[in-house]
Amino acid sequence: MSRTPLALVLFHWLFALFMLAPLAVVVLVSFTDKGYVALPFDGASLRWYRALLDAKDFIDSFKLSLGLGVLAATASVLLAVPAAMAIAWHRFPGRDAMLGLLMSPMMVPPIVLGIALLRLFTHLGATGTIWSLAAAHTVIVLPYVLRLVIAAATGYDQTLSQAAISLGASPWTVFRRIELPQLLPGIAGGWIIAFITSFDELTMSLFVSGVGTSTLPVRMYNHIANTIDPLLASTSSVLIILTLILMIVMDRAFGIDRVLGGKA
């Protein structure tokens, strides 16, 4: 077996450190005992994590983003699964157009999409509501779920379904007991990525959210416009840890390579 050149190994480690350095700095700053962003600092403190627990507006926005992420990710899965099955397993007129339409939110700049959705919700009289915000987030995260489910569906052996039908199984039984378990890695991975994307969405949410529906990224953006303190660093550190936990859960449950590689 050929051994990896030392220069290539060093390059990979340096690149990994370069990518992780900003996150490490944010986490370190969150432990400062000063009232401003400072690194290095004299002594470590949990002051800004206690301040985060006392910041009711941040806690309310966190709860809103959490529920919104669950709602948008679940809705996108319900829409993406039948669409992915149709696109991956069937050939019909307008198939490519449908795929392009569903994937278009990934190609449209978020600021353009935010303005368009704002005008739409204004005409519908639904500006600033939790349901309009959930609909907007569903549009944003749908392509991520669709891509992973299509990848899983593409690797599925359809002769399994044909064999089950030939033995008398109903279409619902085939879907529930054969097709759905095979697509589950793509569905679960898509749900988690959709949840993270929805939770972290800022640009589009600035246009669609209202006074009582400020998500956590919007709250942080408004906070940093007035003052910069380590409270944002402690909030960001919590989000980094939560994201890491979700990715570990996905890897342990299904395997990241299997989910992102589209293996059914």
Side-chain angles (χ1 to χ4, degrees), residues 27 46 88 92 94 115 149 158 164 180 208-210 214 254:
V27 174
L46 296 176
F92 53 89
I115 294 174
V149 179
Q158 296 189 52
L180 184 60
V208 182
S209 62
S214 294
F254 304 103

Side-chain angles (χ1 to χ4, degrees), residues 88-106:
W89 295 345
H90 303 282
R91 297 293 182 269
F92 53 89
R95 174 179 174 271
D96 294 336
M98 177 185 292
L99 179 59
L101 177 64
L102 294 175
M103 298 297 295
S104 60
M106 295 188 67

Side-chain angles (χ1 to χ4, degrees), residues 66-151:
L66 195 64
L68 184 63
V70 171
L71 186 60
T74 303
S76 63
V77 165
L78 295 177
L79 294 172
V81 170
M85 293 171 63
I87 292 172
W89 295 345
H90 303 282
R91 297 293 182 269
F92 53 89
R95 174 179 174 271
D96 294 336
M98 177 185 292
L99 179 59
L101 177 64
L102 294 175
M103 298 297 295
S104 60
M106 295 188 67
M107 297 175 283
V108 178
I111 188 171
V112 175
L113 194 58
I115 294 174
L117 290 172
L118 175 61
R119 290 184 59 85
L120 173 63
F121 294 142
T122 300
H123 285 300
L124 296 177
T127 306
T129 64
I130 183 63
W131 300 111
S132 62
L133 195 59
H137 277 234
T138 301
V139 171
I140 287 288
V141 303
L142 178 61
Y144 297 95
V145 184
L146 185 64
R147 287 184 64 179
L148 292 181
V149 179
I150 286 179

Side-chain angles (χ1 to χ4, degrees), residues 28-228:
L28 288 175
V29 168
S30 68
F31 289 102
T32 183
D33 57 347
K34 296 180 171 59
Y36 52 89
V37 176
L39 189 70
F41 45 82
D42 297 333
S45 173
L46 296 176
R47 168 186 175 182
W48 294 105
Y49 288 95
R50 290 191 294 266
L52 178 60
L53 294 176
D54 295 333
K56 186 178 181 303
D57 52 348
F58 274 71
I59 298 298
D60 292 341
S61 295
F62 175 80
K63 293 178 180 178
L64 176 63
S65 293
L66 195 64
L68 184 63
V70 171
L71 186 60
T74 303
S76 63
V77 165
L78 295 177
L79 294 172
V81 170
M85 293 171 63
I87 292 172
W89 295 345
H90 303 282
R91 297 293 182 269
F92 53 89
R95 174 179 174 271
D96 294 336
M98 177 185 292
L99 179 59
L101 177 64
L102 294 175
M103 298 297 295
S104 60
M106 295 188 67
M107 297 175 283
V108 178
I111 188 171
V112 175
L113 194 58
I115 294 174
L117 290 172
L118 175 61
R119 290 184 59 85
L120 173 63
F121 294 142
T122 300
H123 285 300
L124 296 177
T127 306
T129 64
I130 183 63
W131 300 111
S132 62
L133 195 59
H137 277 234
T138 301
V139 171
I140 287 288
V141 303
L142 178 61
Y144 297 95
V145 184
L146 185 64
R147 287 184 64 179
L148 292 181
V149 179
I150 286 179
T154 302
Y156 172 71
D157 186 2
Q158 296 189 52
T159 58
L160 297 175
S161 300
Q162 296 170 1
I165 293 175
S166 66
L167 293 174
S170 65
W172 170 247
T173 301
V174 172
F175 171 74
R176 180 172 56 88
R177 303 190 62 177
I178 299 177
E179 295 173 347
L180 184 60
Q182 295 295 317
L183 300 179
L184 191 58
I187 295 173
W191 191 96
I192 292 177
I193 293 177
F195 173 81
I196 294 173
T197 303
S198 172
F199 196 98
D200 194 50
E201 172 57 38
L202 170 62
T203 306
M204 185 270 298
S205 298
L206 285 172
F207 292 93
V208 182
S209 62
V211 177
T213 55
S214 294
T215 61
L216 185 58
V218 173
R219 181 74 64 184
M220 295 172 66
Y221 177 82
N222 293 332
H223 182 82
I224 202 173
N226 300 318
T227 181
I228 300 178

